Amino acid sequence: MSDARYDFASDNTAPAAPEAMQALLAANQGFTSGYGTDHVTARAADLVRALLDADAEVRFVASGTAANAISLAALCRPFEAVLAHEHAHVCTDETGAPGYFGQGLGLIGLPGASGRIDPPALEAALAQPDVSYRQSPAALSLTNATEYGTVYSAGALTALTRAAKAKGYGVHLDGARLANAAAAGFDLTAIKNLGVDILVVGGTKAGMPPTEAVVIFDRALARRFDARLKQAGQLPSKGRFYAAPFIGMLEDGAFVRHAAHANAMARRLAELTPFKVRHAVEANGLFVEMDEPALKRLHAAGWFAYRFLDGTVRFMCSWATTPETVEALGETLARIA
Amino acid sequence: MSDARYDFASDNTAPAAPEAMQALLAANQGFTSGYGTDHVTARAADLVRALLDADAEVRFVASGTAANAISLAALCRPFEAVLAHEHAHVCTDETGAPGYFGQGLGLIGLPGASGRIDPPALEAALAQPDVSYRQSPAALSLTNATEYGTVYSAGALTALTRAAKAKGYGVHLDGARLANAAAAGFDLTAIKNLGVDILVVGGTKAGMPPTEAVVIFDRALARRFDARLKQAGQLPSKGRFYAAPFIGMLEDGAFVRHAAHANAMARRLAELTPFKVRHAVEANGLFVEMDEPALKRLHAAGWFAYRFLDGTVRFMCSWATTPETVEALGETLARIA
Amino acid sequence: MSDARYDFASDNTAPAAPEAMQALLAANQGFTSGYGTDHVTARAADLVRALLDADAEVRFVASGTAANAISLAALCRPFEAVLAHEHAHVCTDETGAPGYFGQGLGLIGLPGASGRIDPPALEAALAQPDVSYRQSPAALSLTNATEYGTVYSAGALTALTRAAKAKGYGVHLDGARLANAAAAGFDLTAIKNLGVDILVVGGTKAGMPPTEAVVIFDRALARRFDARLKQAGQLPSKGRFYAAPFIGMLEDGAFVRHAAHANAMARRLAELTPFKVRHAVEANGLFVEMDEPALKRLHAAGWFAYRFLDGTVRFMCSWATTPETVEALGETLARIA
Amino acid sequence: MSDARYDFASDNTAPAAPEAMQALLAANQGFTSGYGTDHVTARAADLVRALLDADAEVRFVASGTAANAISLAALCRPFEAVLAHEHAHVCTDETGAPGYFGQGLGLIGLPGASGRIDPPALEAALAQPDVSYRQSPAALSLTNATEYGTVYSAGALTALTRAAKAKGYGVHLDGARLANAAAAGFDLTAIKNLGVDILVVGGTKAGMPPTEAVVIFDRALARRFDARLKQAGQLPSKGRFYAAPFIGMLEDGAFVRHAAHANAMARRLAELTPFKVRHAVEANGLFVEMDEPALKRLHAAGWFAYRFLDGTVRFMCSWATTPETVEALGETLARIA
């Protein structure tokens, strides 16, 4: 709590979008059955399938950390490991949740520029021999859009997933910012052909109240998934509250439309910043090189922003970011540079 | 999904109350910091403390199952066990979540009429010697109101907690229906003196969207609790969505007022039912003796109700239960008896 | 530590048999590769396969509790449960190890006379519908000889395993006293046709130093099993120490021969005891009805014996039990009755 | 299994020393109580306490991996982390056992030359602020002798432990090669003053059959430790088999005497090798710079040795390493260089 402005601190500092809230209110009528067996959940799941043009199981959960961790625990046994970008959210920002939900499953961090896994690094990791004293990989975790605001193409993803599938490993796609990737041109209907076993479609960062959709492409994984969720504290009785926002955002296209706005705001901010931009601005984040005194001046000016893992300072835009705020921040950046 | 009426199937089939939803909408303004550091969360925590007249740490999480399991995992190591009523929600309805969050911690079910733990049974369990081949108890879990719609008095709780504290064990209070207990006369401001270490104040069943308050009386347990929650997928970025409903429900007393209504509806239903009532109707549930043909007739008449663990059929009332529906169900019950 | 005689307290109070110790000494020559890749381990695995007349993966571990828990964790996910006799060792004497190794997997205790699971009880458990709020079964755990010194026939086991396999569930056989079952007529070469996925062949209670053989009939389960064992602290570097005792005991038939002696000692004790024998004496244990004053007199006479879960007092015989000791105990029993 | 010579592959490829085996045979007499309550275990625990001149709880377990993992799980909760050298055995060679036993607890690898943690790196890690999205440290794990055959002095250890204790964190000392450290001059009676909470005294690598002593200096940690061990599959019924080797090795000083021999063998090998020695030879290991063709020639010559994490090739000596073998290997090294 402070008087600082959190507009650009993350894409989860924004309120929820009106489309999501209206759907929430609309769903809050009458009595329904619980635990995701209600008609609101069924409708939302249909819309997620339509978004992806895929026949898959869909569940709605409360948090992205839980969605990712549960997915990885479904793909990987405790004595195995997940391959992920070394700066992926599952590796760096979830307090070891994959290992908690997965009873100690390992995470093997892979390098790669701008948040994208370097294909040769993946190949090298996959080529490691199985030995009993190490956790050998059983799954690959990808993120699109990446932590650094870049976007994998379907082709780039395929190159990675194909290598993992050739070893018989599972694939998880963290889509906390899938809407932003879609707005940047990533074809969501291509995911079903990429070899992804479990996809998390981010609701929160896309402008919804807390909710994430877990999409299970591999039906064998879906067996007893509700029990898995319930045990993990992620099968809410009032399931409609997690499903409804997706209805509001998907029915009229707000999901991608809002993300396109967020992406545009990031691009505009990139035009305004006098600081060197480190990563291509393909989604809704801007990462600039800024020394500590400048960051202090920024904070002193009332804007909160994080220094990120690669040393850059990160600015995130959301559906709620206004052009006026972007201009205002741009002016501040010009002044403190 | 069906045309059945779920009004009495559970107290989580109801929509959220207007006070909660209005607070949600009011909180959905502007940008805030994340992960429970926002002013909405701070305000809600203050109101929970005021409700309990207690100085305690307060967190808001998404699900009661998670709240309970995280609490028990905080009180009990894997080679230890939790003492609880054998029909407590943590024992029978959470898919082993305490053992999942607590890496195999044990649950020792205790008997007791109408959902209340039998004090001699607790004493006997506490008197068992520590042996290395069994999980010895480290915590006591209580539920108020109980699973059978009865309410512990503060005195009755004290008798149980005192015995547990005398052994140095922790105490967890599952307050999924604490509002109903309060409406039945249970003094919430007495909890702080009962020896409770962690309390879960139910939001969902009290008429809120999915949210529960975790109240940590033992401050030593609160250390790194946010990391504990984050790892467990229960530290949502948009924390205000879990906090705001509590503001709406606590600011003007709707929390207890709505519960009083629910309790009254259950009492009225008890007057109407021709089936034998098994447990005293002190909170918002009615449990009657009904044979299988009668239950089938009830279902055929379009009303959904569960047969419970003790063989009775359960009817739950909520803030949203209308007197008209109670009368309608009463008529059906009279007809099918 | 005391002056009490522990001869009959358990079959693990005995020293190791000379055949096992001689093999240990013989194996303790020269340098070998580690972690079960040595020739001693290979030879012992061959002998276990020959004992069972089965082509299966064999590993040697340090403790029966670990062997069982690792096996169950391989067959059952955390949100699932194992069906076992309610008095099975995995349910009552392993401090919740299955839940620890299996991250909270559930145990569903089934009734049955004299330690044998009641087939209708199993059928009823298997007929339960899958629901998300309960841990549904995924595996059946059997014990032969049973905890009460009785022995399943191959036919009786088949009736149980067939029901479990029909549901697609895994089967674990705890053979802590498999040698005693074999000595009682149970055909070890029949196990491979019973539908057992993982078998634990007990070494310790059969007269070896601490070692148990894990036999994996389902080869798919064997993938990365060494990593599973290593992570669980059960892939010892000096593997030959766990393997060698099996060589000594299997090469010349001491495994079953010693067990036959133990069984005979139990039968003789049954002839001598004036106390009512509760369970058929088919293996190496005797369970008698003895009130508390008599048990106190027994302890006062210097003999240690446990009161067991069904209220009886248990006497276990081993390879090392001498006829003279049996007669001496028999005289004491006659005196204190 | 092969014809390769494993004499220098590890210090666990050796057989057990005669002192250990004779004690094992001596202990294998008569009946005893189980689970570590026997007089053999009591005697061995006394000898470990005498070795350390410390009043502490002592337990004997089957494997070093389990001993370490159980110790770390006792010091660290799942949402916390252990600080350790990045090449420590717990980080690199135990298949993630700490995270398995500790339900996902984190490992934070610290740099440092020749296996010793760099004090400024530890200070920097300790100075990190607690944040909810990361696993903050709760314990420090040290190894003496280190993975690279170097030995911490008591003073060097104190500098590290003092920093950790100042933060209130626990300290674990992995003494898999504590005997070698002692033989190199490390005063074992100083450990009790170093702030170590749990120490693992290695038996296996010191020349015993599989056994390790867990020494619990912090008595509060010892509460219910037997249940902890039993649940983890590490409270063997026939406890005397884990305890007896320590009696044989400690009663007449063989523990340190054999280690002194192993250390001397390593020093002699260092004199003989034409390859550049990377780390000071203070204990029983030699690490040399050897390119891949040379390593291939070594293997072709029938000697097995591992390439280690820092790229060097490792040769380990043990109590059983003979001067003749050292000379023979030296000649081979000279030939293949």
Side-chain angles (χ1 to χ4, degrees):
Chain A
M1 270 176 304
S2 78
D3 296 327
R5 301 203 56 171
Y6 281 89
D7 303 48
F8 299 94
S10 177
D11 31 4
N12 58 35
T13 60
E19 295 88 344
M21 294 305 283
Q22 283 155 16
L24 203 63
L25 292 173
N28 191 42
Q29 304 295 332
F31 293 79
T32 66
S33 60
Y35 305 102
T37 63
D38 60 282
H39 62 282
V40 179
T41 300
R43 170 76 181 138
D46 283 344
L47 287 167
V48 171
R49 280 186 284 266
L51 177 76
L52 304 169
D53 186 28
D55 178 34
E57 292 281 329
V58 179
R59 297 292 185 281
F60 299 96
V61 302
S63 101
T65 292
N68 287 335
I70 289 169
S71 299
L72 297 178
L75 294 173
C76 192
R77 297 175 294 180
F79 48 94
E80 298 177 323
V82 174
L83 297 160
H85 191 280
E86 60 193 350
H87 288 179
H89 206 261
V90 295
C91 290
T92 63
D93 286 278
E94 300 186 352
T95 324
Y100 182 62
F101 283 82
Q103 201 185 6
L105 65 78
L107 293 169
I108 299 172
L110 300 175
S114 296
R116 294 189 192 93
I117 292 174
D118 184 45
L122 175 62
E123 292 290 351
L126 292 172
Q128 289 286 311
D130 263 33
V131 290
S132 62
Y133 57 88
R134 273 199 310 247
Q135 290 167 293
S136 293
L140 171 66
S141 177
L142 297 162
T143 310
N144 209 20
T146 73
E147 298 299 326
Y148 288 104
T150 57
V151 176
Y152 281 108
S153 67
L157 281 183
T158 302
L160 298 170
T161 59
R162 189 187 296 143
K165 302 305 280 189
K167 297 281 288 187
Y169 298 165
V171 175
H172 160 253
L173 180 56
D174 179 355
R177 295 186 181 102
L178 192 67
N180 303 101
F186 178 64
D187 179 6
L188 300 185
T189 69
I191 296 174
K192 64 178 176 289
N193 301 320
L194 293 181
V196 173
D197 297 294
I198 306 190
L199 162 71
V200 178
V201 181
T204 307
K205 287 174 179 165
M208 306 189 207
T211 180
E212 311 282 311
V214 178
V215 182
I216 311 162
F217 289 97
D218 177 352
R219 290 290 177 117
L221 287 174
R223 184 166 166 269
R224 292 181 170 173
F225 211 87
D226 283 346
R228 184 188 285 276
L229 293 176
K230 175 66 179 166
Q231 189 184 40
Q234 294 287 336
L235 187 71
S237 55
K238 292 182 169 175
R240 52 179 150 173
F241 282 88
Y242 295 104
F246 273 95
I247 296 179
M249 296 289 277
L250 292 180
E251 260 185 343
D252 83 336
F255 184 68
V256 177
R257 187 174 66 237
H258 281 320
H261 169 81
N263 291 5
M265 293 296 98
R267 286 196 304 273
R268 175 61 185 151
L269 196 58
E271 292 168 4
L272 293 175
T273 182
F275 294 93
K276 181 168 163 48
V277 176
R278 177 80 64 86
H279 306 295
V281 181
E282 297 171 358
N284 61 323
L286 174 73
F287 297 76
V288 302
E289 299 180 2
M290 185 185 294
D291 63 19
E292 202 57 19
L295 180 58
K296 285 220 167 72
R297 289 193 293 274
L298 180 71
H299 287 166
W303 296 96
F304 191 81
Y306 287 100
R307 189 173 294 286
F308 217 59
L309 288 161
D310 69 342
T312 58
V313 169
R314 183 187 80 161
F315 299 92
M316 297 305 295
C317 298
S318 72
W319 75 274
T321 307
T322 63
E324 294 72 29
T325 326
V326 169
E327 298 303 319
L329 175 60
E331 284 167 28
T332 302
L333 291 174
R335 199 173 67 239
I336 65 166
Chain B
M1 270 176 307
S2 77
D3 296 326
R5 300 203 58 172
Y6 282 90
D7 302 49
F8 299 93
S10 177
D11 31 4
N12 59 35
T13 59
E19 294 88 345
M21 294 305 284
Q22 283 154 16
L24 203 64
L25 293 173
N28 191 42
Q29 304 295 330
F31 294 79
T32 66
S33 59
Y35 304 102
T37 64
D38 60 282
H39 61 283
V40 179
T41 300
R43 169 77 180 135
D46 283 344
L47 287 167
V48 171
R49 280 186 283 266
L51 176 75
L52 304 168
D53 186 29
D55 178 35
E57 292 281 329
V58 179
R59 298 292 185 281
F60 299 96
V61 302
S63 98
T65 293
N68 287 335
I70 290 168
S71 298
L72 297 179
L75 293 174
C76 192
R77 297 176 294 179
F79 47 95
E80 297 177 324
V82 173
L83 298 160
H85 192 280
E86 60 193 350
H87 288 179
H89 206 261
V90 295
C91 291
T92 63
D93 285 276
E94 300 187 351
T95 325
Y100 182 62
F101 283 81
Q103 200 185 9
L105 66 77
L107 292 170
I108 299 172
L110 300 175
S114 297
R116 294 189 192 94
I117 292 174
D118 183 44
L122 175 62
E123 292 290 351
L126 292 172
Q128 289 285 312
D130 263 34
V131 290
S132 62
Y133 57 88
R134 272 201 310 248
Q135 290 167 292
S136 293
L140 171 66
S141 177
L142 298 162
T143 310
N144 210 18
T146 74
E147 298 299 326
Y148 288 104
T150 57
V151 176
Y152 281 108
S153 67
L157 281 183
T158 302
L160 298 170
T161 59
R162 189 187 296 142
K165 304 304 281 189
K167 297 280 288 186
Y169 298 164
V171 175
H172 159 253
L173 180 56
D174 178 355
R177 297 186 180 100
L178 193 67
N180 304 102
F186 178 64
D187 178 7
L188 300 185
T189 68
I191 296 174
K192 65 178 177 289
N193 300 320
L194 294 180
V196 172
D197 297 294
I198 306 190
L199 162 71
V200 177
V201 181
T204 306
K205 288 174 178 164
M208 307 190 206
T211 180
E212 310 283 311
V214 177
V215 181
I216 312 162
F217 289 96
D218 176 353
R219 290 289 177 119
L221 287 174
R223 183 167 167 267
R224 292 181 171 172
F225 212 87
D226 284 346
R228 184 190 285 275
L229 292 176
K230 175 66 179 167
Q231 189 184 40
Q234 293 288 337
L235 188 71
S237 55
K238 292 181 170 176
R240 53 179 149 173
F241 283 88
Y242 294 105
F246 274 94
I247 297 179
M249 296 289 276
L250 293 180
E251 260 185 344
D252 82 335
F255 184 68
V256 177
R257 188 175 65 240
H258 282 320
H261 170 80
N263 293 4
M265 293 296 98
R267 285 195 304 273
R268 174 62 185 149
L269 196 58
E271 293 169 3
L272 294 174
T273 182
F275 294 93
K276 183 171 162 47
V277 176
R278 176 80 65 85
H279 306 294
V281 181
E282 298 170 359
N284 61 323
L286 174 74
F287 297 76
V288 302
E289 300 180 3
M290 186 184 292
D291 63 19
E292 202 59 19
L295 181 58
K296 285 220 165 75
R297 289 194 294 275
L298 180 72
H299 288 165
W303 295 97
F304 191 80
Y306 287 100
R307 189 174 294 285
F308 218 59
L309 289 161
D310 69 343
T312 57
V313 169
R314 183 187 80 162
F315 299 92
M316 298 303 296
C317 298
S318 73
W319 76 273
T321 306
T322 63
E324 294 72 27
T325 325
V326 170
E327 300 300 320
L329 175 59
E331 284 166 28
T332 302
L333 292 174
R335 201 174 64 241
I336 65 164
Chain C
M1 268 175 307
S2 78
D3 297 326
R5 301 203 57 171
Y6 282 90
D7 303 49
F8 299 93
S10 176
D11 30 5
N12 59 36
T13 59
E19 295 89 343
M21 293 306 284
Q22 283 154 15
L24 202 65
L25 292 172
N28 191 43
Q29 303 296 331
F31 293 79
T32 67
S33 59
Y35 305 101
T37 63
D38 61 282
H39 62 283
V40 179
T41 300
R43 170 76 181 135
D46 283 344
L47 287 167
V48 171
R49 280 186 283 267
L51 176 76
L52 305 169
D53 185 30
D55 178 35
E57 292 280 329
V58 178
R59 298 292 184 281
F60 300 96
V61 302
S63 99
T65 292
N68 287 334
I70 289 169
S71 298
L72 297 179
L75 294 173
C76 192
R77 297 175 295 180
F79 47 94
E80 297 176 325
V82 174
L83 296 159
H85 192 280
E86 59 193 350
H87 288 180
H89 206 261
V90 294
C91 292
T92 64
D93 286 278
E94 300 185 353
T95 325
Y100 183 61
F101 283 82
Q103 200 184 8
L105 66 77
L107 293 170
I108 299 172
L110 299 175
S114 296
R116 295 189 192 93
I117 292 174
D118 183 44
L122 175 62
E123 292 290 351
L126 292 172
Q128 288 285 311
D130 263 34
V131 290
S132 62
Y133 57 88
R134 272 201 311 248
Q135 290 167 291
S136 294
L140 171 67
S141 177
L142 298 162
T143 310
N144 208 21
T146 73
E147 298 299 325
Y148 287 103
T150 58
V151 177
Y152 281 108
S153 67
L157 280 183
T158 301
L160 298 171
T161 59
R162 188 187 297 143
K165 303 305 280 189
K167 298 281 288 187
Y169 299 164
V171 174
H172 160 253
L173 180 56
D174 178 355
R177 296 187 180 101
L178 193 67
N180 304 99
F186 178 63
D187 178 6
L188 299 186
T189 69
I191 296 175
K192 63 178 178 289
N193 300 319
L194 294 180
V196 172
D197 297 294
I198 307 189
L199 162 71
V200 177
V201 182
T204 307
K205 289 175 178 163
M208 307 190 205
T211 179
E212 310 283 312
V214 177
V215 182
I216 311 163
F217 290 96
D218 176 353
R219 290 290 176 118
L221 286 174
R223 184 165 166 268
R224 293 181 170 173
F225 212 87
D226 284 347
R228 184 189 287 275
L229 292 176
K230 176 64 179 166
Q231 188 184 40
Q234 293 289 338
L235 187 71
S237 55
K238 292 182 171 176
R240 52 180 149 171
F241 284 87
Y242 294 106
F246 274 94
I247 296 178
M249 296 289 276
L250 293 180
E251 260 184 343
D252 82 336
F255 184 69
V256 175
R257 188 175 66 239
H258 281 319
H261 169 81
N263 292 4
M265 291 296 99
R267 284 196 304 273
R268 174 62 184 147
L269 196 57
E271 294 168 3
L272 294 174
T273 182
F275 294 92
K276 183 171 164 43
V277 176
R278 176 80 65 86
H279 307 293
V281 180
E282 299 171 357
N284 62 323
L286 173 73
F287 296 77
V288 302
E289 300 179 4
M290 186 184 293
D291 62 19
E292 202 58 21
L295 180 58
K296 284 218 166 76
R297 289 193 294 275
L298 179 71
H299 289 166
W303 296 97
F304 192 80
Y306 287 100
R307 188 173 293 286
F308 217 59
L309 288 161
D310 69 342
T312 57
V313 169
R314 184 187 79 162
F315 299 92
M316 297 304 296
C317 299
S318 72
W319 75 272
T321 307
T322 63
E324 294 72 28
T325 326
V326 170
E327 300 301 321
L329 175 60
E331 284 167 29
T332 302
L333 291 175
R335 200 174 65 242
I336 65 165
Chain D
M1 270 176 307
S2 78
D3 296 327
R5 301 203 57 171
Y6 282 89
D7 302 49
F8 300 93
S10 177
D11 30 5
N12 58 35
T13 59
E19 293 89 344
M21 294 304 284
Q22 284 154 15
L24 203 64
L25 292 173
N28 191 43
Q29 303 296 331
F31 293 79
T32 66
S33 59
Y35 305 102
T37 63
D38 60 282
H39 61 282
V40 179
T41 300
R43 170 76 180 137
D46 283 344
L47 287 166
V48 171
R49 279 186 286 266
L51 176 75
L52 304 169
D53 185 29
D55 178 35
E57 292 281 330
V58 179
R59 298 292 185 280
F60 299 96
V61 302
S63 99
T65 292
N68 287 334
I70 289 169
S71 298
L72 297 179
L75 293 174
C76 192
R77 297 175 294 179
F79 47 94
E80 298 178 322
V82 173
L83 297 159
H85 192 280
E86 60 192 350
H87 289 179
H89 206 262
V90 295
C91 291
T92 65
D93 286 277
E94 300 186 351
T95 324
Y100 182 62
F101 284 81
Q103 200 185 7
L105 65 77
L107 294 169
I108 299 172
L110 300 175
S114 296
R116 294 188 192 93
I117 292 173
D118 184 43
L122 174 62
E123 292 289 351
L126 292 173
Q128 289 285 311
D130 263 34
V131 289
S132 62
Y133 57 89
R134 273 200 311 248
Q135 290 167 292
S136 293
L140 171 66
S141 177
L142 298 162
T143 309
N144 208 21
T146 74
E147 298 299 326
Y148 288 103
T150 57
V151 176
Y152 281 108
S153 68
L157 281 183
T158 302
L160 298 171
T161 59
R162 188 187 296 142
K165 303 304 279 190
K167 298 280 288 187
Y169 298 165
V171 175
H172 160 253
L173 180 56
D174 178 356
R177 296 186 181 101
L178 192 67
N180 304 100
F186 178 65
D187 178 7
L188 299 185
T189 69
I191 296 174
K192 64 177 177 288
N193 300 319
L194 293 180
V196 173
D197 297 294
I198 307 190
L199 162 71
V200 177
V201 181
T204 307
K205 288 173 178 165
M208 306 190 206
T211 179
E212 310 284 310
V214 177
V215 182
I216 311 163
F217 290 96
D218 176 352
R219 290 290 177 118
L221 287 174
R223 184 165 166 271
R224 293 182 169 172
F225 211 86
D226 283 346
R228 183 189 287 276
L229 292 175
K230 175 66 180 166
Q231 189 184 42
Q234 293 288 336
L235 186 70
S237 54
K238 292 182 171 175
R240 52 180 150 172
F241 284 86
Y242 295 105
F246 273 93
I247 296 178
M249 296 289 276
L250 293 180
E251 259 183 343
D252 82 336
F255 184 68
V256 175
R257 187 174 67 239
H258 281 319
H261 169 81
N263 291 3
M265 293 296 98
R267 284 195 305 272
R268 175 60 185 150
L269 197 57
E271 294 168 4
L272 294 174
T273 183
F275 294 92
K276 182 171 164 47
V277 176
R278 177 80 65 85
H279 306 295
V281 181
E282 299 170 358
N284 61 322
L286 174 73
F287 297 77
V288 302
E289 299 180 4
M290 186 185 293
D291 62 19
E292 202 58 20
L295 181 58
K296 285 221 166 73
R297 289 193 293 276
L298 179 71
H299 288 166
W303 296 96
F304 191 80
Y306 286 100
R307 189 173 294 286
F308 217 58
L309 287 161
D310 69 342
T312 58
V313 169
R314 184 187 80 161
F315 299 91
M316 297 305 296
C317 299
S318 72
W319 76 273
T321 307
T322 63
E324 295 72 29
T325 325
V326 169
E327 300 301 320
L329 174 60
E331 284 167 28
T332 302
L333 291 174
R335 199 171 68 241
I336 66 165

